[in-house]
Amino acid sequence: MGEPSFKTTALKSIKSLAPLLDRILVQRVKAESKTAGGIFLPESSVKELNEAKVLAVGPGGLDKEGKRIQPSVAPGDKVLIPQYGGSPVKVGEEEYSLFRDH
């Protein structure tokens, strides 16, 4: 027969995404592209910050006895994240990252 057809669905909103287990969905805080004096900085000179805002948190992982381990952060928290790592998630033009809480 023919090739199986796969349907892809584009996410319309990040709110439709719910992390599983100990996953945490964050969005990097964008660096200011304007100085306090009002001078606009070129995009190449603006560094990516390691600060992010927590958007969604999974229910938590399970320990060896099967008990739920509560995540250490909550939606709305500001966190420091590594420069590289996490799973990138793109919704429209916005970029998000999915990290594990451990």
Side-chain angles (χ1 to χ4, degrees):
M1 301 260 167
E3 294 278 327
S5 65
F6 294 101
K7 292 183 180 180
T8 58
T9 55
L11 291 171
K12 304 238 186 310
S13 167
I14 196 67
K15 296 199 186 297
S16 63
L17 228 101
L20 298 175
L21 298 175
D22 62 345
R23 304 304 195 276
I24 297 173
L25 184 69
V26 300
Q27 183 176 29
R28 280 189 190 273
V29 174
K30 292 184 176 41
E32 289 292 324
S33 60
K34 190 166 100 171
T35 64
I39 298 171
F40 285 95
L41 301 171
E43 197 171 304
S44 60
S45 70
V46 178
K47 284 178 53 175
E48 203 171 70
L49 296 176
N50 288 353
E51 185 179 339
K53 182 177 180 183
V54 176
L55 300 176
V57 177
L62 301 174
D63 65 9
K64 291 179 183 177
E65 288 83 40
K67 294 179 184 169
R68 181 86 48 201
I69 302 170
Q70 292 298 318
S72 60
V73 296
D77 288 353
K78 289 207 177 196
V79 295
L80 293 176
I81 58 174
Q83 184 72 25
Y84 301 102
S87 300
V89 178
K90 192 166 185 177
V91 177
E93 295 299 313
E94 295 291 325
E95 291 186 20
Y96 305 93
S97 296
L98 197 59
F99 286 93
R100 293 185 74 172
D101 178 33
H102 52 97

